Amino acid sequence: KAGVTQTPRYLIKTRGQQVTLSCSPISGHRSVSWYQQTPGQGLQFLFEYFSETQRNKGNFPGRFSGRQFSNSRSEMNVSTLELGDSALYLCASSLTPGRNTEAFFGQGTRLTVV
Amino acid sequence: QQPVQSPQAVILREGEDAVINCSSSKALYSVHWYRQKHGEAPVFLMILLKGGEQKGHEKISASFNEKKQQSSLYLTASQLSYSGTYFCGTANQAGTALIFGKGTTLSVSS
């Protein structure tokens, strides 16, 4: 059974640009959550999607957006990149919204903004 | 709403025990524990649900005090493989997202 796949694994962007990150959950999983990980800050919650609907959103500016497709794949987009957006972006999938069930994390996308 | 973990870091020798704590300022619906090794994805360890249900790996033990809004992860007879950063995640109500703490770094040496 394939795990959670995130693409690309590494990305270097320039300030002001925009970026799209992709997450393919485990087959059959309908819930996808996104987290930003930076040193010392832990896993900061970005969004949670279930059956193509955003169920929860973290405390991030509107430059951060996401969506989920009918096949449960999810994308997140960051517009007008800032240096502080450099981080590891992790996606986690679960059968149902993760508060009751085990979540499986992908390897993440390492975004560097220069 | 981010839960608070303590301590921030623990250094152990093989065979020693450790306790990692997680506390919230709000009533908890569930507490999750994950471990992340350097350069790897976080891996599920355990879920503790309001009402007493637990799901997780047999070798890991944890407690959930609903009244105190706290959870503790017990690592006994530590092994080198226990090294990593431990995160607790909490959900306050049935419909809320899972919010993680800043993590506790555990280093086990021989």
Side-chain angles (χ1 to χ4, degrees):
Chain A
K1 194 174 187 180
V4 179
T5 304
Q6 291 189 244
T7 56
R9 288 292 310 279
Y10 302 92
L11 209 49
I12 298 176
K13 289 287 188 179
T14 304
R15 270 184 305 173
Q17 288 186 313
Q18 74 165 19
V19 67
T20 300
L21 312 181
S22 179
C23 172
S24 293
I26 291 172
S27 178
H29 284 196
R30 296 164 59 196
S31 180
V32 172
S33 295
W34 288 89
Y35 293 89
Q36 181 195 66
Q37 185 173 29
T38 53
Q41 293 303 311
L43 303 167
Q44 300 286 309
F45 171 72
L46 283 157
F47 336 93
E48 178 188 51
Y49 288 91
F50 179 68
S51 295
E52 302 178 65
T53 301
Q54 186 180 89
R55 292 172 56 89
N56 289 288
K57 188 176 191 303
N59 189 26
F60 277 81
R63 300 184 296 107
F64 291 81
S65 62
R67 58 178 174 170
Q68 186 179 33
F69 301 96
S70 59
N71 62 357
S72 295
R73 190 177 71 85
S74 178
E75 289 181 347
M76 67 163 282
N77 183 277
V78 187
S79 62
T80 319
L81 284 165
E82 301 178 359
L83 295 178
D85 297 334
S86 295
L88 179 67
Y89 290 87
L90 291 164
C91 124
S93 82
S94 53
L95 282 169
T96 56
R99 61 197 64 78
N100 294 341
T101 60
E102 175 180 359
F104 296 81
F105 282 85
Q107 293 289 332
T109 294
R110 174 75 61 184
L111 172 65
T112 302
V113 183
V114 297
Chain B
Q1 293 185 358
Q2 188 177 36
V4 176
Q5 291 186 232
S6 63
Q8 287 186 323
V10 183
I11 299 175
L12 298 175
R13 288 202 178 270
E14 273 187 298
E16 292 181 336
D17 302 337
V19 179
I20 301 173
N21 301 301
C22 175
S23 64
S24 174
S25 59
K26 296 193 174 185
L28 295 175
Y29 176 84
S30 64
V31 179
H32 302 226
W33 288 96
Y34 286 77
R35 177 174 60 214
Q36 183 180 32
K37 293 181 179 288
H38 184 69
E40 299 181 7
V43 173
F44 169 80
L45 295 175
M46 175 168 285
I47 293 176
L48 302 102
L49 298 169
K50 185 178 179 180
E53 184 179 356
Q54 296 188 3
K55 309 176 192 176
H57 300 286
E58 295 179 5
K59 292 186 177 181
I60 298 290
S61 66
S63 65
F64 180 16
N65 187 322
E66 296 175 33
K67 287 185 178 179
K68 292 187 176 180
Q69 297 151 199
Q70 293 176 347
S71 176
S72 295
L73 185 69
Y74 305 97
L75 302 167
T76 58
S78 59
Q79 304 171 19
L80 294 175
S81 62
Y82 287 10
S83 293
T85 301
Y86 289 78
F87 292 99
C88 78
T90 59
N92 300 124
Q93 300 174 29
T96 57
L98 192 59
I99 307 298
F100 286 93
K102 294 185 178 183
T104 296
T105 301
L106 177 69
S107 300
V108 182
S109 61
S110 57

